[in-house]
Amino acid sequence: DQQVKQNSPSLSVQEGRISILNCDYTNSMFDYFLWYKKYPAEGPTFLISISSIKDKNEDGRFTVFLNKSAKHLSLHIVPSQPGDSAVYFCAASFRGKLIFGQGTELSVKP
Amino acid sequence: GAVVSQHPSWVICKSGTSVKIECRSLDFQATTMFWYRQFPKQSLMLMATSNEGSKATYEQGVEKDKFLINHASLTLSTLTVTSAHPEDSSFYICSARGQKAEQFFGPGTRLTVL
């Protein structure tokens, strides 16, 4: 039973445009949501997080939106840069543990 | 800040041997560390939660006698894969929890069992 889902395995975006990565979840008890960026054979790098009591959090080029009624969150990257190309994982926190989605591979083309 | 290191970064061993992986939080004290496993093209799967000074809590399906976890200090947790077999070959990643829900990850250890 996949509690956190990223339904798009890959996304390709032109440099300078907006990248939108989506994530759906099923457990309404999750209290925190996080996005991580990962390169092959490396550990994930924390990007941005949002508490379940908020609907938006912004940090530079990264903005995370949370829609609790739809159990959906998204990560917006604008403007996208070639260096953003990586696998992005969303994660949800419950009792201190993180449950990860399957990841979306973002490719930003020059 | 929030730097987590892992050692070794890769290891190759013979079947039947034991391998120890260290995870250190370099610039903060982590009362809780986590161990994950990732297969190619798949998500990170939580194996166990490691609390300083107490026994680790293992996720369902993870053999605690095979994956021994020790968290002796606020900056060090170790994972020992005992009697390793080829099916244990994987990418093992540790993380340490910060003040909120954020977890900061180590660079991972690639284990190959021949």
Side-chain angles (χ1 to χ4, degrees):
Chain A
D1 179 28
Q2 192 76 26
Q3 296 189 64
V4 180
K5 293 183 181 179
Q6 292 175 258
N7 292 316
S8 298
S10 63
L11 174 67
S12 183
V13 172
Q14 203 68 32
E15 181 180 5
R17 307 294 291 267
I18 185 171
S19 294
I20 300 177
L21 298 124
N22 294 302
C23 182
D24 297 294
Y25 62 95
T26 58
N27 190 343
S28 58
M29 299 299 290
F30 288 138
D31 54 5
Y32 230 86
F33 301 90
L34 307 91
W35 284 95
Y36 287 86
K37 177 181 180 181
K38 188 179 183 300
Y39 295 109
E42 293 185 13
T45 301
F46 170 72
L47 283 175
I48 192 170
S49 64
I50 187 168
S51 165
S52 62
I53 63 174
K54 297 193 174 182
D55 55 19
K56 178 182 176 181
N57 188 26
E58 189 173 353
D59 184 2
R61 296 187 298 116
F62 302 94
T63 304
V64 56
F65 295 92
L66 176 62
N67 183 335
K68 287 189 70 176
S69 61
K71 293 190 176 69
H72 176 84
L73 69 153
S74 60
L75 174 68
H76 292 208
I77 306 173
V78 56
S80 302
Q81 300 171 353
D84 296 329
S85 298
V87 178
Y88 288 77
F89 287 94
C90 71
S93 174
F94 177 64
R95 293 181 180 175
K97 297 181 184 179
L98 292 185
I99 299 173
F100 283 83
Q102 307 94 312
T104 296
E105 184 170 10
L106 173 65
S107 176
V108 180
K109 302 192 181 303
Chain B
V3 178
V4 177
S5 70
Q6 262 183 260
H7 178 80
S9 56
W10 59 271
V11 57
I12 300 173
C13 68
K14 291 183 178 180
S15 185
T17 60
S18 295
V19 175
K20 180 186 281 188
I21 303 170
E22 292 186 349
C23 177
R24 294 181 186 273
S25 58
L26 298 183
D27 53 359
F28 69 104
Q29 294 183 330
T31 55
T32 305
M33 290 185 172
F34 303 85
W35 286 95
Y36 294 82
R37 184 173 179 177
Q38 185 186 27
F39 291 103
K41 303 273 186 194
Q42 294 189 24
S43 184
L44 283 76
M45 299 300 295
L46 179 64
M47 298 175 64
T49 302
S50 169
N51 292 298
E52 186 264 338
S54 64
K55 291 184 178 180
T57 304
Y58 291 81
E59 295 300 302
Q60 191 172 10
V62 178
E63 299 177 58
K64 61 181 181 181
D65 293 330
K66 179 162 189 62
F67 298 100
L68 300 179
I69 291 172
N70 183 276
H71 193 160
S73 76
L74 289 172
T75 59
L76 173 64
S77 177
T78 60
L79 168 69
T80 301
V81 183
T82 62
S83 186
H85 290 282
E87 58 265 29
D88 297 325
S89 298
S90 189
F91 192 58
Y92 293 87
I93 312 174
C94 73
S95 72
R97 188 162 66 198
Q99 293 183 341
K100 297 182 181 179
E102 296 91 347
Q103 290 182 23
F104 299 96
F105 287 81
T109 297
R110 168 71 59 193
L111 171 64
T112 301
V113 185
L114 302 176

